[in-house]
Amino acid sequence: LANITIHGAGTGLDGVRILNAQSVTLDHVEISGFTSDGIEVASTGATNIPIQIMNSSITSSAGAGVRANATVASLPITMSNSYITNCGTGFLSRDGVTASITNSTISSNTIGVQADLASFVNLDRVNITSNATGISSAANGSVIRLYGSFLQNNTTNGFNVSAPSTIVSAGNNSVQTAPANVGTLGSIG
């Protein structure tokens, strides 16, 4: 999908729902106004579907801006040069998804980025600002890695780590210390 606008008018369920495909690329796509998710990846196939989101904006979805679930071993998803704002969760990675987000902004959501159920999220030069919670690594061994990212002005927590999950930093990030953080950041390297 390229160069299109998808608007749910506050009544549509999901902007884009991906169940099975060889690969999917969204480039210069604007998605807004959905009652569930802006983009939902719900792969149930036997193979991984490479998903690419580029130069796109996802706004005002009550669920997640991007929700990625995999019922197979691993699902690779990349997002670059994109914006997610005013959603329940900006980017939600679950069930073995491996996500890489670069040069993007995730702001004004309830949770900016959440990794859950043994998923992995790499954040490289990502602005995560003005959310209630900036990043959350929830249960079951999920990992979030931070490289050169800006984690500031989140109103409840900058980060929230639930053991045995982890959030690790390359040490070149701007990470808020107030109002509160839950858990500790590990280091990469």
Side-chain angles (χ1 to χ4, degrees), residues 167-183:
I167 298 174
V168 293
S169 169
N172 60 346
N173 303 286
S174 175
V175 178
Q176 78 184 53
T177 57
N181 290 309
V182 179

Side-chain angles (χ1 to χ4, degrees), residues 8 10-17 31 33-40 58-67 86-89:
T11 60
L13 187 60
D14 293 320
V16 175
R17 189 162 192 245
I31 300 170
F34 287 90
T35 60
S36 189
D37 305 317
I39 299 170
E40 181 188 12
I58 304 154
T59 61
S60 303
S61 291
V66 175
R67 176 187 305 271
N86 297 316
C87 297
T89 299

Side-chain angles (χ1 to χ4, degrees), residues 57-128:
S57 67
I58 304 154
T59 61
S60 303
S61 291
V66 175
R67 176 187 305 271
N69 301 300
T71 58
V72 294
S74 172
L75 176 72
I77 183 167
T78 60
M79 184 174 88
S80 62
N81 303 310
S82 297
Y83 297 88
I84 301 175
T85 59
N86 297 316
C87 297
T89 299
F91 192 99
L92 175 58
S93 175
R94 305 185 72 194
D95 302 319
V97 168
T98 300
S100 293
I101 303 172
T102 58
N103 293 321
S104 295
T105 297
I106 300 173
S107 68
S108 303
N109 304 289
T110 304
I111 299 173
V113 176
Q114 181 173 340
D116 194 6
L117 301 172
S119 65
F120 298 88
V121 178
N122 297 308
L123 302 171
D124 185 2
R125 293 161 290 156
V126 178
N127 292 320
I128 303 165

